[in-house]
Short mmCIF file of all heavy atoms in Angstrom, two decimals:
data_model
loop_
_atom_site.label_atom_id
_atom_site.label_comp_id
_atom_site.label_asym_id
_atom_site.label_seq_id
_atom_site.Cartn_x
_atom_site.Cartn_y
_atom_site.Cartn_z
N ALA A 152 -17.22 76.04 -36.27
CA ALA A 152 -18.65 76.31 -36.45
C ALA A 152 -18.88 77.79 -36.76
O ALA A 152 -19.72 78.14 -37.60
CB ALA A 152 -19.42 75.90 -35.20
N ILE A 153 -18.15 78.68 -36.10
CA ILE A 153 -18.30 80.12 -36.35
C ILE A 153 -17.88 80.46 -37.77
O ILE A 153 -18.58 81.18 -38.50
CB ILE A 153 -17.45 80.92 -35.33
CG1 ILE A 153 -18.04 80.77 -33.92
CG2 ILE A 153 -17.38 82.39 -35.73
CD1 ILE A 153 -17.13 81.27 -32.82
N ILE A 154 -16.73 79.93 -38.20
CA ILE A 154 -16.23 80.21 -39.55
C ILE A 154 -17.18 79.66 -40.61
O ILE A 154 -17.47 80.33 -41.61
CB ILE A 154 -14.81 79.64 -39.72
CG1 ILE A 154 -13.81 80.43 -38.86
CG2 ILE A 154 -14.38 79.66 -41.19
CD1 ILE A 154 -12.41 79.87 -38.85
N GLN A 155 -17.70 78.46 -40.35
CA GLN A 155 -18.65 77.89 -41.32
C GLN A 155 -19.91 78.73 -41.41
O GLN A 155 -20.47 78.94 -42.50
CB GLN A 155 -19.01 76.45 -40.93
CG GLN A 155 -19.88 75.73 -41.95
CD GLN A 155 -19.25 75.70 -43.33
OE1 GLN A 155 -18.13 75.22 -43.50
NE2 GLN A 155 -19.95 76.22 -44.33
N ARG A 156 -20.36 79.25 -40.28
CA ARG A 156 -21.56 80.11 -40.29
C ARG A 156 -21.29 81.37 -41.11
O ARG A 156 -22.15 81.82 -41.87
CB ARG A 156 -21.96 80.46 -38.86
CG ARG A 156 -23.28 81.22 -38.77
CD ARG A 156 -23.78 81.34 -37.35
NE ARG A 156 -22.94 82.17 -36.52
CZ ARG A 156 -22.20 81.74 -35.51
NH1 ARG A 156 -22.20 80.45 -35.21
NH2 ARG A 156 -21.46 82.57 -34.79
N TRP A 157 -20.10 81.95 -40.95
CA TRP A 157 -19.76 83.12 -41.74
C TRP A 157 -19.72 82.79 -43.22
O TRP A 157 -20.21 83.55 -44.06
CB TRP A 157 -18.42 83.69 -41.28
CG TRP A 157 -18.52 84.48 -40.01
CD1 TRP A 157 -19.62 85.10 -39.51
CD2 TRP A 157 -17.46 84.73 -39.07
NE1 TRP A 157 -19.32 85.72 -38.31
CE2 TRP A 157 -18.01 85.52 -38.02
CE3 TRP A 157 -16.12 84.37 -39.00
CZ2 TRP A 157 -17.25 85.95 -36.94
CZ3 TRP A 157 -15.36 84.79 -37.92
CH2 TRP A 157 -15.91 85.58 -36.90
N LYS A 158 -19.14 81.66 -43.56
CA LYS A 158 -19.07 81.28 -44.98
C LYS A 158 -20.46 80.99 -45.54
O LYS A 158 -20.74 81.31 -46.70
CB LYS A 158 -18.13 80.07 -45.14
CG LYS A 158 -16.67 80.41 -44.87
CD LYS A 158 -15.73 79.25 -45.14
CE LYS A 158 -14.28 79.69 -44.89
NZ LYS A 158 -13.30 78.63 -45.20
N ASP A 159 -21.32 80.39 -44.73
CA ASP A 159 -22.71 80.15 -45.17
C ASP A 159 -23.43 81.46 -45.46
O ASP A 159 -24.39 81.48 -46.24
CB ASP A 159 -23.48 79.37 -44.11
CG ASP A 159 -23.09 77.90 -44.06
OD1 ASP A 159 -22.43 77.43 -45.00
OD2 ASP A 159 -23.44 77.23 -43.07
N ARG A 160 -22.98 82.52 -44.84
CA ARG A 160 -23.61 83.83 -45.05
C ARG A 160 -22.84 84.66 -46.08
O ARG A 160 -23.13 85.85 -46.26
CB ARG A 160 -23.71 84.59 -43.72
CG ARG A 160 -24.62 83.91 -42.71
CD ARG A 160 -24.88 84.79 -41.50
NE ARG A 160 -25.53 86.05 -41.87
CZ ARG A 160 -26.82 86.18 -42.18
NH1 ARG A 160 -27.60 85.11 -42.16
NH2 ARG A 160 -27.32 87.35 -42.49
N GLY A 161 -21.86 84.04 -46.75
CA GLY A 161 -21.13 84.73 -47.81
C GLY A 161 -20.15 85.76 -47.31
O GLY A 161 -19.85 86.73 -48.01
N LEU A 162 -19.63 85.58 -46.10
CA LEU A 162 -18.74 86.56 -45.48
C LEU A 162 -17.29 86.11 -45.52
O LEU A 162 -16.92 85.12 -44.89
CB LEU A 162 -19.16 86.81 -44.03
CG LEU A 162 -20.58 87.33 -43.80
CD1 LEU A 162 -20.89 87.40 -42.31
CD2 LEU A 162 -20.76 88.71 -44.44
N THR A 163 -16.47 86.82 -46.28
CA THR A 163 -15.02 86.65 -46.20
C THR A 163 -14.55 87.34 -44.92
O THR A 163 -15.31 88.10 -44.31
CB THR A 163 -14.34 87.28 -47.42
OG1 THR A 163 -14.66 88.68 -47.44
CG2 THR A 163 -14.82 86.63 -48.72
N PRO A 164 -13.28 87.13 -44.51
CA PRO A 164 -12.82 87.82 -43.29
C PRO A 164 -13.00 89.33 -43.36
O PRO A 164 -13.34 89.97 -42.35
CB PRO A 164 -11.33 87.43 -43.23
CG PRO A 164 -11.27 86.10 -43.89
CD PRO A 164 -12.28 86.17 -45.00
N GLU A 165 -12.81 89.92 -44.56
CA GLU A 165 -12.96 91.37 -44.70
C GLU A 165 -14.41 91.81 -44.57
O GLU A 165 -14.69 92.97 -44.21
CB GLU A 165 -12.43 91.82 -46.07
CG GLU A 165 -10.96 91.51 -46.31
CD GLU A 165 -10.72 90.03 -46.63
OE1 GLU A 165 -11.63 89.40 -47.20
OE2 GLU A 165 -9.64 89.52 -46.28
N ARG A 166 -15.36 90.94 -44.88
CA ARG A 166 -16.78 91.30 -44.84
C ARG A 166 -17.41 91.09 -43.46
O ARG A 166 -18.57 91.45 -43.26
CB ARG A 166 -17.55 90.48 -45.87
CG ARG A 166 -17.26 90.83 -47.32
CD ARG A 166 -18.10 89.97 -48.26
NE ARG A 166 -17.77 90.16 -49.66
CZ ARG A 166 -18.33 91.08 -50.45
NH1 ARG A 166 -19.27 91.86 -49.97
NH2 ARG A 166 -17.97 91.20 -51.71
N VAL A 167 -16.69 90.46 -42.53
CA VAL A 167 -17.25 90.24 -41.20
C VAL A 167 -17.27 91.56 -40.45
O VAL A 167 -16.23 92.12 -40.10
CB VAL A 167 -16.43 89.18 -40.42
CG1 VAL A 167 -16.98 89.04 -38.99
CG2 VAL A 167 -16.46 87.84 -41.13
N THR A 168 -18.45 92.08 -40.20
CA THR A 168 -18.60 93.36 -39.50
C THR A 168 -18.60 93.12 -37.99
O THR A 168 -18.79 92.00 -37.52
CB THR A 168 -19.92 94.02 -39.91
OG1 THR A 168 -21.01 93.20 -39.44
CG2 THR A 168 -20.02 94.18 -41.42
N PRO A 169 -18.40 94.18 -37.21
CA PRO A 169 -18.49 94.02 -35.75
C PRO A 169 -19.82 93.40 -35.31
O PRO A 169 -19.86 92.64 -34.34
CB PRO A 169 -18.33 95.46 -35.24
CG PRO A 169 -17.50 96.12 -36.29
CD PRO A 169 -17.96 95.53 -37.59
N ALA A 170 -20.89 93.71 -36.04
CA ALA A 170 -22.19 93.14 -35.68
C ALA A 170 -22.23 91.63 -35.91
O ALA A 170 -22.96 90.92 -35.24
CB ALA A 170 -23.29 93.82 -36.49
N GLU A 171 -21.45 91.14 -36.89
CA GLU A 171 -21.41 89.72 -37.20
C GLU A 171 -20.39 88.98 -36.34
O GLU A 171 -20.37 87.76 -36.30
CB GLU A 171 -21.05 89.52 -38.68
CG GLU A 171 -22.07 90.03 -39.68
CD GLU A 171 -23.15 89.00 -39.93
OE1 GLU A 171 -23.12 87.92 -39.34
OE2 GLU A 171 -24.05 89.29 -40.75
N ASP A 172 -19.51 89.73 -35.66
CA ASP A 172 -18.42 89.12 -34.90
C ASP A 172 -18.95 88.47 -33.63
O ASP A 172 -20.10 88.66 -33.24
CB ASP A 172 -17.38 90.18 -34.57
CG ASP A 172 -15.98 89.59 -34.41
OD1 ASP A 172 -15.88 88.35 -34.33
OD2 ASP A 172 -15.01 90.36 -34.37
N THR A 173 -18.09 87.69 -32.98
CA THR A 173 -18.46 87.02 -31.74
C THR A 173 -17.41 87.33 -30.68
O THR A 173 -16.38 87.95 -30.96
CB THR A 173 -18.52 85.48 -31.93
OG1 THR A 173 -17.19 84.97 -32.00
CG2 THR A 173 -19.27 85.12 -33.20
N ASP A 174 -17.68 86.88 -29.45
CA ASP A 174 -16.71 87.10 -28.38
C ASP A 174 -15.78 85.90 -28.21
O ASP A 174 -15.05 85.80 -27.22
CB ASP A 174 -17.43 87.39 -27.07
CG ASP A 174 -18.36 86.26 -26.65
OD1 ASP A 174 -18.46 85.25 -27.39
OD2 ASP A 174 -18.99 86.37 -25.59
N PHE A 175 -15.76 85.00 -29.20
CA PHE A 175 -14.89 83.82 -29.11
C PHE A 175 -13.44 84.27 -28.96
O PHE A 175 -12.95 85.15 -29.68
CB PHE A 175 -15.05 82.96 -30.37
CG PHE A 175 -14.19 81.72 -30.38
CD1 PHE A 175 -14.65 80.54 -29.83
CD2 PHE A 175 -12.91 81.73 -30.95
CE1 PHE A 175 -13.88 79.40 -29.82
CE2 PHE A 175 -12.13 80.60 -30.96
CZ PHE A 175 -12.60 79.42 -30.39
N ALA A 176 -12.73 83.64 -28.02
CA ALA A 176 -11.30 83.93 -27.77
C ALA A 176 -11.08 85.43 -27.56
O ALA A 176 -10.14 86.03 -28.10
CB ALA A 176 -10.44 83.42 -28.91
N ASP A 177 -11.98 86.02 -26.77
CA ASP A 177 -11.88 87.44 -26.43
C ASP A 177 -11.86 88.32 -27.68
O ASP A 177 -11.10 89.29 -27.78
CB ASP A 177 -10.63 87.71 -25.58
CG ASP A 177 -10.67 86.95 -24.27
OD1 ASP A 177 -11.76 86.87 -23.67
OD2 ASP A 177 -9.63 86.40 -23.86
N GLY A 178 -12.71 87.96 -28.65
CA GLY A 178 -12.86 88.79 -29.84
C GLY A 178 -11.85 88.52 -30.94
O GLY A 178 -11.73 89.33 -31.87
N LYS A 179 -11.15 87.40 -30.89
CA LYS A 179 -10.13 87.10 -31.89
C LYS A 179 -10.63 86.25 -33.05
O LYS A 179 -9.85 85.87 -33.92
CB LYS A 179 -8.94 86.38 -31.23
CG LYS A 179 -8.16 87.22 -30.24
CD LYS A 179 -6.99 86.42 -29.67
CE LYS A 179 -6.20 87.25 -28.66
NZ LYS A 179 -5.09 86.47 -28.07
#
Side-chain angles (χ1 to χ4, degrees):
I153 292 168
I154 291 174
Q155 186 57 56
R156 186 169 67 248
W157 282 336
K158 291 185 178 183
D159 285 346
R160 296 189 61 76
L162 300 175
T163 59
E165 300 76 30
R166 291 181 186 271
V167 176
T168 65
E171 294 275 1
D172 208 348
T173 75
D174 59 359
F175 180 88
D177 299 321
K179 294 182 180 178

